[in-house]
C-alpha cells in the first residue's frame, strides 16, 4: 500500500474540563507516515485511569481530551513500510503510541518504562499534535504499538485485555511468578483484579481475592473462579492467612494501608502495586525486613508481552467479564465506574454508536 499522506478528521467524545463530561468533538488526526496504520475503532474499554484523566485527578490533564486506551479496531489502510498488518486485520492499540527507541528500556522490550514514552491520549505526538484515544471513529498509530487480535477472539472481549490483561500478565512473568503451584492474592476485584484472578488461575495458582467486605464473595468464588475469599477487616482470618502468599497483586486505586497485606506474604513475597494513587502510602520497615519482602510496582506491559498475553488468553480460553454500552451512555458509565458499579469492565461499542447525534 502507498504511504498515508493526507490528514483526516474524525469525531470522538471528549472531555472539555475537569467535570469529566464527554460530548462529541471533531478533530484532525495527526499526520500519518509510512509506518502508520489507519484504524476504524470497533470497541474500546473504559479503565479507571480514564476516569482519573478526564477529571484531572492527577493534575496533568489537557483538554479537549478524547480518552480510551483499550482499543480494538479494523485496519483500513497501511503505510508503505508497514509489514505486520494488512487491510481488514483486527488489531489492538493500548496505552502507548510512541517511545524514543534508543534508551535501555526501549532496547530491552520494556518500552513502557521509556522516559519519553507517548501516551495514546492526553499527550503530544512527535509532530506536535495532541494524541487522542479510542472513544472515536478512527485513529492512526505506528505499527510498533499495534497488535494483532487473535482470530476468533471477540472484539469487545479483547479490548480490556489490552490494559487490564497485560497489566497483570507482565509482573507475573517478569518476577518469575508464571509457574504453577504458587499461592497468590488479588487485592480488589475490579477490572484489573478480575483478570488477575483468571490469569493467575490459568497459570496454576491457588488464588485468594482480598476485599474490605464480603459483598463480592459470591462473585469472586462462583463467577470469577477464585479459590478463597478473605475479608481484610476479619482479624481472625487475616491472622490465619499470615505468611501464606507468594505474592499479592494490589489493584486498589485509592489510599489504603499496606501493613495488613505485607503480613500475609511469606519469605521473599512480593506486594505488587498497580493502582494509580496520587498520595503517599505508608508501611513500617520491619514488615519488609523481617521476611525479605518486597514492595514493588508494575506498569501495563511491553508490546511483546501484550502479544504473548493475547495468545495466552486465547490458548486458555480466558475472557473478561464486561458490560457493553453505546457511546451515548459513556457519561453514565463513568459515574457508575466511580461508584464501583460495574462487573467488571465497561466496553464501548464504538462502531455501533452514533458518535455525532
Amino acid at each position: 500500500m502507498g504511504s498515508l499522506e493526507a490528514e483526516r478528521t474524525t469525531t470522538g467524545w471528549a472531555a472539555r474540563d475537569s467535570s469529566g463530561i464527554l460530548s462529541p468533538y471533531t478533530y484532525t488526526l495527526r499526520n500519518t507516515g509510512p509506518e502508520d496504520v489507519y484504524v476504524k475503532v470497533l470497541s474500546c474499554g473504559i479503565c479507571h485511569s480514564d476516569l482519573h484523566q478526564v477529571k484531572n485527578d492527577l493534575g496533568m490533564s489537557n483538554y479537549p481530551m478524547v480518552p480510551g486506551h483499550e482499543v480494538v479496531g479494523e485496519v483500513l489502510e497501511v503505510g508503505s513500510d508497514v509489514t505486520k498488518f494488512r487491510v481488514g486485520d483486527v488489531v489492538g492499540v493500548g496505552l502507548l503510541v510512541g517511545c524514543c527507541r534508543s534508551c535501555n528500556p526501549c532496547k530491552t522490550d520494556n518500552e513502557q518504562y521509556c522516559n519519553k514514552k507517548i501516551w495514546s491520549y492526553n499527550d503530544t505526538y512527535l509532530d506536535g499534535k495532541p494524541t487522542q484515544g479510542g472513544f472515536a471513529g478512527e485513529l492512526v498509530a505506528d505499527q510498533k504499538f499495534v497488535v494483532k487480535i487473535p482470530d476468533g477472539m471477540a472484539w469487545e472481549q479483547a479490548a480490556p485485555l489490552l490494559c487490564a490483561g497485560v497489566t497483570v500478565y507482565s509482573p507475573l512473568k517478569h518476577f518469575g511468578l508464571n509457574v504453577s503451584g504458587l499461592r497468590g492474592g488479588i487485592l480488589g476485584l475490579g477490572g484489573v483484579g478480575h483478570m488477575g484472578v483468571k490469569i493467575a488461575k490459568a497459570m496454576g495458582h491457588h488464588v485468594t481475592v482480598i476485599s474490605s467486605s464480603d459483598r463480592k464473595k459470591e462473585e469472586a468464588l462462583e463467577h470469577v473462579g477464585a479459590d478463597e475469599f478473605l475479608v481484610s477487616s476479619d482479624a481472625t482470618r487475616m491472622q490465619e492467612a499470615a505468611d501464606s502468599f507468594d505474592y499479592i497483586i494490589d489493584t486498589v486505586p485509592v489510599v489504603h494501608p499496606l501493613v495488613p497485606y505485607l503480613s500475609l506474604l511469606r519469605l521473599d513475597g512480593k506486594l505488587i502495586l498497580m493502582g494509580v494513587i496520587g498520595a503517599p502510602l505508608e508501611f513500617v520497615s520491619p514488615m519488609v525486613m523481617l521476611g525479605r519482602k518486597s514492595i514493588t510496582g508494575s506498569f501495563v506491559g511491553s508490546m511483546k508481552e501484550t502479544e504473548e498475553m493475547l495468545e495466552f488468553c486465547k490458548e486458555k480460553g480466558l475472557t473478561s467479564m464486561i458490560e457493553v454500552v453505546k457511546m451515548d451512555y459513556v457519561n453514565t458509565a463513568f459515574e457508575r465506574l466511580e461508584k464501583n458499579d460495574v462487573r467488571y469492565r465497561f466496553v464501548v461499542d464504538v462502531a455501533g454508536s452514533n458518535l455525532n447525534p
Side-chain angles (χ1 to χ4, degrees), residues 178-190:
N178 56 338
V179 293
S180 63
L182 300 183
R183 297 181 70 90
I186 306 294
L187 179 55
L189 191 64

Side-chain angles (χ1 to χ4, degrees), residues 214-246:
D214 63 3
R215 186 167 56 91
K216 294 183 178 181
K217 181 175 182 179
E218 181 179 347
E219 298 171 31
L221 298 176
E222 298 185 14
H223 302 299
V224 185
D227 296 293
E228 294 187 53
F229 190 90
L230 179 59
V231 179
S232 57
S233 58
D234 186 335
T236 300
R237 288 277 289 112
M238 288 288 284
Q239 180 60 40
E240 292 171 351
D243 301 316
S244 66
F245 293 103
D246 294 290

Side-chain angles (χ1 to χ4, degrees), residues 51-62:
L51 185 61
H52 284 308
Q53 292 282 18
V54 297
K55 289 183 172 291
N56 196 26
D57 289 343
L58 303 176
M60 302 182 295
S61 297
N62 300 292

Side-chain angles (χ1 to χ4, degrees), residues 48-116:
H48 203 280
S49 62
D50 294 325
L51 185 61
H52 284 308
Q53 292 282 18
V54 297
K55 289 183 172 291
N56 196 26
D57 289 343
L58 303 176
M60 302 182 295
S61 297
N62 300 292
Y63 303 99
M65 178 198 300
V66 179
H69 60 263
E70 300 178 341
V71 187
V72 173
E74 179 185 352
V75 176
L76 296 179
E77 194 171 356
V78 297
S80 57
D81 293 341
V82 171
T83 57
K84 296 170 62 179
F85 307 103
R86 296 182 298 179
V87 171
D89 283 349
V90 178
V91 297
V93 179
L95 192 56
L96 302 181
V97 294
C99 64
C100 78
R101 306 193 189 211
S102 60
C103 66
N104 184 63
C106 285
K107 290 180 177 180
T108 56
D109 289 320
N110 290 292
E111 64 277 349
Q112 72 271 33
Y113 300 112
C114 173
N115 288 331
K116 296 181 180 179

Side-chain angles (χ1 to χ4, degrees), residues 178-222:
N178 56 338
V179 293
S180 63
L182 300 183
R183 297 181 70 90
I186 306 294
L187 179 55
L189 191 64
V192 174
H194 96 283
M195 284 310 304
V197 175
K198 288 171 170 279
I199 289 175
K201 283 292 295 178
M203 289 179 174
H205 299 181
H206 181 282
V207 180
T208 299
V209 169
I210 309 167
S211 188
S212 57
S213 75
D214 63 3
R215 186 167 56 91
K216 294 183 178 181
K217 181 175 182 179
E218 181 179 347
E219 298 171 31
L221 298 176
E222 298 185 14

